[in-house]
Every structure is written in C-alpha cells, then in structure tokens.
Amino acid sequence: MTALLEVRNLSARVADTQILSNLSLSLPAGEVHAIMGPNGAGKSTLSHVLTGKPGYEVTGGEARLDDQDLLALEPEARASRGVFLSFQYPVEIPGVPALTFLRTALNAQKKARGEAEVSAPDFLKLVRAKAAGLKMDFDMLKRALNVGFSGGEKKRMEILQMAVLAPRLAILDETDSGLDIDALRIVAEGVNALRAPDRSMLVITHYQRLLDYIRPDRVHVLAGGRIVASGGPELALDLEREGYDRFVDLAA
Amino acid sequence: MPATSKTAAQVLELERYKHGFITDIDQDVAPRGLTEETVRFISAKKDEPDWMLAWRLEAFARWRALEEPNWARVDYPPIDYQDIHYYAAPRAGEGPKSLDEVDPELLATYAKLGIPLSEQAVLAGVEGAPRYAVDAVFDSVSVVTTFKAELAAVGVIFCPMSEAIREHGDLVRQYLGSVVPVSDNYFACLNSAVFSDGSFVYVPPGVRCPMELSTYFRINAEKSGQFERTLIIADRGSYVSYLEGCTAPMRDENQLHAAVVELVALDDAEIKYSTVQNWYPGDAEGRGGIYNFVTKRADCRGARSKVSWTQVETGSAVTWKYPSCVLRGDHSTGEFYSIAITNNRQQADTGTKMIHLGAHTRSRIISKGISAGRSSSTYRGLVSAHPKAKGARNFTQCDSLLIGPHAAAHTTPYVEARNSGAQFEHEATTTRLSEEQLFYARQRGLTQEEAVQLLVNGFVKDVLQELPMEFAVEAQKLVAISLEGSVG
C-alpha cells in the first residue's frame, strides 16, 4: 500500500541555486511527521514545491498524493485535492474580510471537486464552531484577513482555515515561530484536534518546542536539501541536545 | 448588412466585451460633418424654441475659435470633426408615447443590457427589490422614461432634456450652462452646440426623491458621436440619487463621446451621482473604442449643500474627465469616490477638482486606480481654497494598483491654499499586485482569475461601498470582466 504522500528523489532549484537534492519521504495516512533542520536546509522550499509556488523549478523526482502526480497540478488544483499549507508568514489581504476569503476558498474547492457550495448559514455555523475551539473572537473574522493581526492571531487564523477546509495533507511551516507559550498551546491543541485517520500532517519546525505539544509519529532531519536521518520522537530530543552540526556534516 | 454581421462575428469571437452587440434599427441620422446647418438641423429636429437655437449657435461660433487641448496624459490620433454624425436617432416618427410604441428591437437591446424599461416588469419583480426610474438614451435621443407619473406626484421632474427644453423652458434657461459655461472647454463647447438629448431632473424644495433615478446611455450608430447633456437641480432641502450607466457596441473605429453634466445643489440639498462607465474599450491591440471626453461639474450653490460623485470607470479607449465640485455655499461638502480600471491599451486621465469658495467647506477624495496590460492610468486632481474659504478641509487618498510589468500609473495632485486656515491632507500609494498574495489565495483553492478578482475587489472596497447596492454588484462584475486575462 502506498503512503498518502510519497516523495521520491525530489530535486528543485530557485534560479541557479539547487535547494532540494534527491529528497525522499513517505507519509502514511493518519500520521504526523516532523521535518526538522537548520536554517537554509530547504524546509520552506519543500513546502513551497509541494504546494506549487511559482518560482521553483523541479529538476527531478516526483511527489504523489494518493498515488496521483502532485507536481503537474496548478496550486489551486492541489488545494482542492486536499493539500493545505499553513504559511510561515501569512499574507495580509486588505479589504477582504477573513470570512469572505474563507468562504470563497471553501466554495472554490467544493466547486473544483464537483460538490455543492456551502450555504451562508451553514458556513457561519461551521466557522463559529471552529473559531470557538481556537478561542478566537468571531468579530475578528469580519476584519480584513490578517491586516493588523498579531503574530499569534495570524497563526490561529491559519489553523482555523485548516479546520474549515479539512485537508487530506496539512503542511505546517514554522507554525511555532512568533508565538508565545499560551498561543503555542492553543495552536497546538487546534492542530491535535484535527488529527484523523485519513489526514496526514507534515510539521516543519526549527525547534523541538512545538513537538512537546504536537507529538509526531516520525521525525526527519532535513539538511543540504535531503532527508539525512529519520527516527521516532526521541530524535527531536537528540537534536535539541546536540544541535544540527553532525547532520550538516552528514549532508556534506 | 455585411458590416453588422462582420462585427457580430467579432463579438462572438471575443465575447470579452459582453455589451458589444449592434441593434439593427432604422436610423434617422444627420449627414456627416459639422456646420451651422448641422446645429440648426438638430435644433429643428428637437422642435426647440428660438432661445435654445441662439444658445447653440453662440456655442458653435465659440467652438470654432477654440483649439483642442492636449495637456492630458493620453495619446490618440487627431479626430476629424467633419467625419462624425452629430445626430442619430432610432426612427420612430414622433417618438414613443408609451412602451407599447417603442420599437421591440430597442426593448430587446435594453433587455440584453439588463435594464428594465417596463414598469410592470420592475413591479412584478422580487418583493423589496429597489425600484429605479429609468431614462434610456439610445444614440442621440431619449427613448423612454419610466415612473414619470409616480415622480410627478411628488413634484419631481425626470424627463429627457429635449422635453425639458420644451416643457420646462424657464428652469432649463435659468440653470443650463450655469455650472459649465458654454465656452468652459473645447469639448463642453462642442457639446453645447450639438447636444441632442440627455436627462433633466428637478427636485422641488424639501422633497426626498422616492426612488433612484437612472439613465442608461448607449451609442449604437456607426461613426456617430454622442453628446448628451444632463442637468440636475436639487432645490432647497431636497435629496436625489442618480445613476448613470453607459455601453457601446464593438467597432473598429473610434467613436467620440463628449457629454456635459451639470449639478446644482441649493441650500441643504444633497445630490448623489453614480456612474458605471463601460463604453467599449477597444480590442487588445488598441483598435476601436470610445473616446470619453466628458465635463462633469457640480455647483454646491447653497449653504450646507452636498454633492457626492461616485464613478466606476472600466470602459473607453481613452477617458479624460474630472467630475468636480464648486463648494460655493458655506459649510457645503463635496465628495469624489473613483475606481478607474484600465487594461490592454486603454488610457485614463481622470480625477476631480474641489474648489473651496465658501467658509467651512469640506471635501473628500478617494481614488483607486488599477492598471493592467499595457495601459496607463493617471490621477489628476486639484484642491484649492480661496481667501474666503476659512476653515476649508480636504482629505485625499489616491491608491494605484499595478497588475503585470507593463502597466503604468501616475498621480498628479495640485493643491492651492490661498488662506492659512485651510487644512489639506493627502495620502498616496502605488503597489503592485503581489505574487505572495496571489499564491496565498491559490493555495486556498482560488484560481488565478478568482484570486485577482478577490484582491482587486478588496483594493476598491472603500469606493464600492459608496455605490447604491445594485450598482455595486454590477460594478463588482465589471471589475472582474475588465481584468480577465490580465495576469499570467
């Protein structure tokens, strides 16, 4: 049986700089895997290549979601097949209320999947429930998306979008950056609530801290553009203690 | 008609400009060219009184002495003023007395445009839906005005300008040209000589006009100019909201549109004037399209009067217009909310003038320019406070959004304060539609075009919310259509 996400020998570059080299990764359905690594290892690039951000050139290898070629699809087609990225730096969208944005996104995905659009009352009911779970003030959702939001509010908004869009594969890129300990706990609880047998998560982080709250099934070390070591949750603790140096040497 | 079928084929091919159809109606046209005879012909067609003809002839004499201005940041080949039909009317004899007499083809045209000309149809509509009184102007003449009786019951006059000249001569004579003088500028002067129709509104003292008034302008005839004239008078303490919509068929030659709009607000009166301008913009290579050279000005003549201009400009090959307010009455207020979208090879030089003459006058300018393709958009504005305008205040915000690497945006604000008590604030931004925002939206499932629409609608939201609701919906759709294919 193939995993939900199967990455094989993936290589990618930006302009003339090779960033990913022969990266392989297998993420079974229902599991949460952490990707850890030093700055510049290619962690964010991996999230961008998987979601189809323009500006990256795939030079080799493949990525398959449910055994379907992911890399040939437009970003929006990947989204409607269930790929979600919680951005490291969520973008501000002036003049567009968060609710409007989210409803437009949900209906765009439903339309692409040939499902009926969600009605306004059903949508509001759904969002209210999810926002309450993340201890978010509902009035905040009437404001322009992320405009004037604090770092913690932006990250909560990402997780709220994830909860509403209910993806198959969630990629969380440095979701812990810029969060104080209370916000971190709330965000982590939100993520844990979304763990499900048919949903997989890729948690990208520089620090072990987040993994105290979101306990991964596997930990992978990304250095020099490829996975250089994999192990259980204890690997994260080793990294915290020993640093990345030994893995950077491995990659070289 | 080979020309028609050729154009019809083009319409099918391009489809982008959805109002680009031509209606095959027998036209009653003046021969091409402009002489004193043309002016007399138009006046005679309209059965006008002598004073009106004299007014026109004076304008014509002055126009001949004027030179076409060239200071705007727009570029177009010279216009041959002798190669234009200055009058084109659907041939319907004496003019329709009721909808039953209107040429069914004409009704079908307006139906295609989504404009309800039948009061029954409007009344039979959804309960609670807003009702609009509509004056439809087809080429040079007004073809039908709805809800006239209901408006007359409260004393509101809403009729074609040609009818107002005959039936309400005293009012027209008192106010026509009092805001935009005959020789104000080259195009206004030309309009004064040859205008054929337009709308006239008079709201009596203390009356709040019970419904939105709306005029739809459509240019249909080939090689014809449209020179409509609109005059709105809001008497003391009255209120009126007026909507103007414009479309034209696709043609591969350029057509001239030179309108004049005059608004007069007396003491405590308020006029809200909204425009959704969607004249044919020309094709992707810049062939064809309307030259939209329009003079719009409001006189806040009375104390505490208020005029608010809202415009959504998506059409025309070249747009050159500055809806302005002369703030003559003490404590009067002028507002200008504008969305100007240019794509492909369109050019727009638009903005406003706020002339503060009275004490404690206030004005507010919100301008949102969006340029895509190889288009160019210029905001040009003047805010001036004269010596007697003690305590005058203005707030101006000009934002430009660029889509793609080849579009241009310019901002040219002029400010003149001739007394030390005036307070002017000006904010301006120019941004490019960000790749980060586009990707963020696409990652959530929106297509590239949906993402552009959403971002642009966010950008123009401050202005859209100033439009009456039904127009706002129409404007939002127009924004989407105008920018199709602008990215990627």
Side-chain angles (χ1 to χ4, degrees), chain B residues 29-35 38 81-86 222-223:
Chain B
V29 294
R32 274 181 212 180
L34 181 53
T35 61
T38 322
Y81 291 92
Q82 298 303 332
D83 193 34
I84 297 172
H85 293 290
Y86 286 84
E222 269 181 272
K223 291 240 171 210

Side-chain angles (χ1 to χ4, degrees), chain A residues 57-71:
Chain A
E57 190 194 343
V58 174
T59 54
E62 59 174 357
R64 302 183 81 81
L65 180 79
D66 294 322
D67 207 26
Q68 282 193 316
D69 182 9
L70 198 56
L71 302 180

